[in-house]
């Protein structure tokens, strides 16, 4: 089977299967159900579209097309962005946990990058390091970020609930009861 440029179908012999192709009547029926987009949106289920004063309304939504060039003055310029906001490279070097060392003396002296963080297991009073402190390389030296904070002197919330009465659980007394207590005490 061949199809010429003018659309003529020629078959040398035998039966030509046209079942994969749509019939003209089927195409016309399907197209009859579609909207004529030049005049209506009803075919797409939009029945409340309006255009008035240059504003397009679709249900509760409105679209106001630009009628002139929009001012970009309210938007940031590249120079302002560079001086105001951090670049990805700036924020990816904040802190990088590198591991744990036994002592302050075990911290690496070469190959450090700004933001490298180590946990120091043993205390080192000469460097102000408590056991468990974390230190960060600031580009010149190791800076103590501190580490474990001992909160044992503070009461836990569960213990406080057992020991102290909740404010809304205090017994209430009337003025008469308070006056009677005061009068009994004075006598």
């Amino acid at each position: 089977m061949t199809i010429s440029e003018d659309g003529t179908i020629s078959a040398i012999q035998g039966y030509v299967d046209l079942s994969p192709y749509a019939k003209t009547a089927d195409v016309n029926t399907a197209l009859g159900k579609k909207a004529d987009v030049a005049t209506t949106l009803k075919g797409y289920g939009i029945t409340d579209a309006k255009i008035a004063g240059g504003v397009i309304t679709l249900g509760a939504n409105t679209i106001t097309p630009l009628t002139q060039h929009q001012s970009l003055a309210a938007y940031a310029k590249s120079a302002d962005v560079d001086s105001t906001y951090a670049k990805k490279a700036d924020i990816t070097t904040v802190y990088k946990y590198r591991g744990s060392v036994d002592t302050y003396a075990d911290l690496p002296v070469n190959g450090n990058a700004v933001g490298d963080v180590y946990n120091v297991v043993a205390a080192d009073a000469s460097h102000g390091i408590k056991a468990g402190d974390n230190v960060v390389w600031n580009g010149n030296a190791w800076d103590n970020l501190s580490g474990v904070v001992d909160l044992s002197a503070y009461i836990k919330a569960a213990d406080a609930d057992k020991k102290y009465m909740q404010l809304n659980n205090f017994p209430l007394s009337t003025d008469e009861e308070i006056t009677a207590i005061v009068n009994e005490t004075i006598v």
Side-chain angles (χ1 to χ4, degrees):
M1 177 175 97
T2 60
I3 302 174
S4 64
E5 288 184 23
D6 66 356
T8 304
I9 300 175
S10 303
I12 297 176
Q13 70 182 33
Y15 173 76
V16 177
D17 180 16
L18 298 177
S19 62
Y21 301 97
K23 296 177 186 173
T24 304
D26 295 337
V27 171
N28 288 338
T29 301
L31 288 175
K33 294 178 182 177
K34 299 294 180 189
D36 180 355
V37 293
T39 60
T40 180
L41 297 174
K42 186 175 181 180
Y44 294 102
I46 300 172
T47 58
D48 56 354
K50 299 176 199 148
I51 300 175
V55 177
I56 303 167
T57 305
L58 297 170
N61 302 309
T62 59
I63 303 168
T64 305
L66 294 176
T67 55
Q68 58 187 357
H69 292 290
Q70 183 176 1
S71 171
L72 300 177
Y75 297 97
K77 297 178 180 74
S78 294
D80 297 336
V81 170
D82 289 343
S83 65
T84 305
Y85 299 100
K87 294 179 182 172
K88 183 178 179 182
D90 297 334
I91 60 176
T92 56
T93 59
V94 176
Y95 291 132
K96 293 182 194 123
Y97 184 74
R98 296 296 185 194
S100 191
V101 294
D102 290 330
T103 67
Y104 187 86
D106 293 332
L107 289 167
V109 292
N110 297 317
N112 299 316
V114 172
D116 286 354
V117 175
Y118 284 88
N119 175 270
V120 181
V121 176
D124 185 331
S126 64
H127 293 100
I129 303 294
K130 300 183 302 284
D133 276 358
N134 293 301
V135 293
V136 63
W137 183 254
N138 65 15
N140 298 313
W142 291 105
D143 186 17
N144 189 355
L145 294 172
S146 194
V148 178
V149 176
D150 181 11
L151 299 176
S152 62
Y154 297 93
I155 191 167
K156 295 178 183 175
D159 295 335
D161 287 344
K162 293 175 188 171
K163 186 171 185 171
Y164 300 105
M165 184 182 295
Q166 296 289 324
L167 186 60
N168 57 352
N169 291 337
F170 277 103
L172 299 177
S173 299
T174 65
D175 288 341
E176 292 80 19
E177 291 171 323
I178 294 171
T179 304
I181 293 170
V182 171
N183 289 337
E184 286 177 22
T185 307
I186 296 175
V187 175

